[in-house]
Amino acid sequence: MKIHAAIFAFAIISPAWTALPPGAWAPPRVLCNIADARITEASGIVESRRNPGIVYVHNDSGDSARFFAVGRDGKTRFVVTVRNAANTDWEDIAATRDSTGAPVVFLADIGDNEQTRDVLTIYQVVDPAAPKGPAGATVGVEARAIRFRYPNGHHDAETLLAEPAARALYVVTKTRKQEPSEIFRLDPRAPGVQTAVKVGELRFSDPLPIYTGMATGGDISPDGSRVVVRTYQCAYEWPVARGESVERALRAKPRVTVLALENQGEAICYGLGGKTLFTTSEQCPTPIYVYQWRMDKRNVR
């Protein structure tokens, strides 16, 4: 589905959709442009936990099992090939540290436009160290498959959330009929094919009545204190209290931030410090936008 960028002009300037105090995301700026001709359908983005300054992006269906390490200048630093994996329809990527503190990456093969796939897969790999040598080198990692089915039929999905220490994974479905998105929890340690547990629903209040309410990506901040889910128009963000589960946090009313005009925005992530958001879109070349958290000093005591 290709999104015509002009439909977002009103949303970007609408004063009804400003963020709430005591702070807000500053207006976006272009961090860099991804110009690697191999990255044509960037459907997920996440900042590496092992390699500061590197974001990982990947294509959705049609590419091989690989993802790209992109620097702050938009240039590909290295390519990660994923062994024992296939890219049927990769739609999101998440990163965290496991229970031992080792950095890991999850790749969500959860796209199902026709809603015919009985078993979906999320691949877990180590977050690799950047290889030595010239830019563009390749490093290989071994995948462990986390396989699951839904308890209530077939769903298309493009959003994966990974809790700190990989305690749980969450998949948020993408709907096209003004129906709520469903939230499903997975145990990343479960063997075999597990049945996902439905733990909630989300409704999105996008300002424009076109391509509305479709969850296309998400992330949990590195410290676990915030969770964000994006649509084609907005970012929806929830605070997570210490000791609180993501599923419980998602029951509250979110902060809503209108996102930059993008061709087909399906990717969002927090920076390592939790005070930046990165977004990007399909098509090539395409920008990576960065949003910086701006405190409202009038409300800080």
Side-chain angles (χ1 to χ4, degrees), residues 241-269:
R242 186 179 297 276
E244 184 180 31
S245 67
V246 167
E247 59 208 67
R248 182 175 180 82
L250 291 176
R251 298 174 191 170
K253 183 178 179 180
R255 174 196 302 270
V256 182
T257 302
V258 174
L259 296 175
L261 183 152
E262 292 175 314
N263 287 314
Q264 188 172 342
E266 297 189 357
I268 192 167
C269 74

Side-chain angles (χ1 to χ4, degrees), residues 205-224:
S205 52
D206 290 345
L208 295 181
I210 183 170
Y211 302 121
T212 184
M214 299 182 188
T216 63
D219 196 25
I220 296 175
S221 63
D223 65 358

Side-chain angles (χ1 to χ4, degrees), residues 15-256:
W17 292 88
T18 56
L20 301 174
W25 293 109
R29 63 179 177 85
V30 174
L31 176 69
C32 60
N33 285 284
I34 300 175
D36 189 327
R38 297 169 294 180
I39 307 172
T40 57
E41 295 184 281
S43 291
I45 186 170
V46 76
E47 186 155 21
S48 168
R49 301 302 193 257
R50 187 186 292 273
N51 305 291
I54 293 291
V55 295
Y56 294 138
V57 297
H58 63 84
N59 291 312
D60 62 14
S61 58
D63 199 2
S64 60
R66 64 180 178 177
F67 57 97
F68 300 83
V70 177
R72 293 288 195 265
D73 57 0
K75 295 180 180 179
T76 298
R77 294 291 190 266
F78 57 95
V79 180
V80 184
T81 59
V82 184
R83 297 187 291 266
N84 295 327
N87 183 346
T88 302
D89 193 356
W90 288 10
E91 288 292 354
D92 206 2
I93 185 170
T96 186
R97 293 182 180 272
D98 65 17
S99 58
T100 71
V104 292
V105 174
F106 296 94
L107 298 140
D109 193 350
I110 57 176
D112 189 10
N113 290 325
E114 304 302 321
Q115 298 189 25
T116 58
R117 300 177 67 184
D118 292 321
V119 177
L120 293 305
T121 305
I122 297 169
Y123 296 105
Q124 179 179 333
V125 302
V126 299
D127 189 338
K132 297 179 180 180
T138 297
V139 60
V141 293
E142 202 80 15
R144 183 178 72 85
I146 302 164
R147 303 192 189 279
F148 72 97
R149 60 171 56 91
Y150 295 106
N152 56 356
H154 301 95
H155 299 280
D156 187 26
E158 297 186 0
T159 302
L160 176 67
L161 308 171
E163 281 196 339
R167 292 185 298 266
L169 301 176
Y170 296 91
V171 171
V172 180
T173 64
K174 180 182 182 182
T175 61
R176 296 177 174 83
K177 298 180 181 179
Q178 303 301 310
E179 298 172 349
S181 289
E182 297 181 65
I183 310 165
F184 293 93
R185 185 182 67 236
L186 301 171
D187 181 350
R189 300 158 297 183
V193 179
Q194 64 181 292
T195 299
V197 178
K198 182 176 176 178
V199 295
E201 294 183 346
L202 292 175
R203 288 188 180 274
F204 303 103
S205 52
D206 290 345
L208 295 181
I210 183 170
Y211 302 121
T212 184
M214 299 182 188
T216 63
D219 196 25
I220 296 175
S221 63
D223 65 358
S225 66
R226 282 179 286 171
V227 56
V228 64
V229 176
R230 73 164 294 168
T231 64
Y232 288 117
Q233 300 183 34
C234 298
Y236 296 79
E237 192 175 23
W238 295 261
V240 183
R242 186 179 297 276
E244 184 180 31
S245 67
V246 167
E247 59 208 67
R248 182 175 180 82
L250 291 176
R251 298 174 191 170
K253 183 178 179 180
R255 174 196 302 270
V256 182

